[in-house]
């Protein structure tokens, strides 16, 4: 199982709840920031978005909380490319902290490349972005990612 670190984040004091744990919503905030970092990595950065009016939309996300995270932990998001086609990405993420070997949470995303015109519509990745996704897929191969799955997420052929 490969995976690659796509994002790191400190925990802000306001993210901690009355039990001394990271609030549920802030896992998702950090994962959203990780998806933004992944977009930058494959060329869907701010300049690309401004030039093309294309971006990624999250179609679906499954989140699993496995262990508690405390205020003094720092989060590392390890990403896995589970599948990709000409318009979509299926990404798995492990949320990790230094004091534990196993993930403290996992998340799965299905992302769609969208042109944000008057009526947003799916758009094919340009060749350079497709090539960057393929390089990331090789580096962050998710073929053996065991992330807990409540039900199957997949890129279905249309």
């Amino acid at each position: 199982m490969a995976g690659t670190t796509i994002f790191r984040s400190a925990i802000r004091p306001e993210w901690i709840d009355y039990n001394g744990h990271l609030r549920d919503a802030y896992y998702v905030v950090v994962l959203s920031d990780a998806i933004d970092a992944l977009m930058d990595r494959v060329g869907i950065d701010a300049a690309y978005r401004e030039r093309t009016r294309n971006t990624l939309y999250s179609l679906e996300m499954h989140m699993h909380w496995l262990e508690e995270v405390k205020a003094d932990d720092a989060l590392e998001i390890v990403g896995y490319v589970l599948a990709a086609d000409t318009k979509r990405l299926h990404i798995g993420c492990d949320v990790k902290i230094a004091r534990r070997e196993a993930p403290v949470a996992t998340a799965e995303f299905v992302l769609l490349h969208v042109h944000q015109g008057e009526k947003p519509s799916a758009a094919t990745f340009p060749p350079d972005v497709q090539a960057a996704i393929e390089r990331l897929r090789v580096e962050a191969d998710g073929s053996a990612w065991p992330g807990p799955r409540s039900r199957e997420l997949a890129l279905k052929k249309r």
Side-chain angles (χ1 to χ4, degrees):
M1 177 171 46
T4 190
T5 298
I6 58 173
F7 190 73
R8 285 186 166 81
S9 178
I11 294 176
R12 297 179 187 165
E14 63 270 21
W15 294 358
I16 299 300
D17 68 13
Y18 45 84
N19 292 317
H21 303 139
L22 181 62
R23 288 185 172 277
D24 298 355
Y26 291 104
Y27 288 83
V28 179
V29 167
V30 171
L31 285 159
S32 182
D33 288 343
I35 295 299
D36 288 350
L38 179 124
M39 288 171 59
D40 289 348
R41 189 169 184 163
V42 299
I44 306 174
D45 57 12
Y48 171 87
R49 293 189 303 270
E50 186 174 332
R51 183 178 74 254
T52 65
R53 298 191 62 210
N54 292 342
T55 190
L56 290 181
Y57 280 13
S58 295
L59 297 182
E60 190 164 355
M61 177 188 155
H62 291 191
M63 181 81 206
H64 295 269
W65 291 269
L66 305 171
E67 295 290 335
E68 65 188 19
V69 172
K70 306 254 185 188
D72 58 347
D73 288 318
L75 300 174
E76 174 187 13
I77 309 303
V78 178
Y80 303 84
V81 178
L82 305 177
D85 63 19
T86 61
K87 298 176 185 178
R88 299 172 299 168
L89 284 170
H90 181 192
I91 303 295
C93 294
D94 287 340
V95 179
K96 302 190 92 178
I97 58 176
R99 64 183 168 84
R100 290 190 47 86
E101 188 173 326
V104 294
T106 65
E108 254 182 295
F109 294 86
V110 172
L111 307 164
L112 178 66
H113 189 239
V114 172
H115 178 71
Q116 296 180 301
E118 186 155 320
K119 182 177 180 201
S121 60
T124 301
F125 293 120
D128 58 327
V129 170
Q130 285 184 4
I133 290 169
E134 179 56 21
R135 285 190 300 275
L136 184 62
R137 188 199 61 73
V138 170
E139 178 185 342
D141 177 33
S143 60
W145 185 67
R149 297 174 178 160
S150 53
R151 68 175 180 83
E152 183 182 9
L153 281 180
L155 300 185
K156 304 233 188 293
K157 302 282 184 206
R158 294 181 184 223

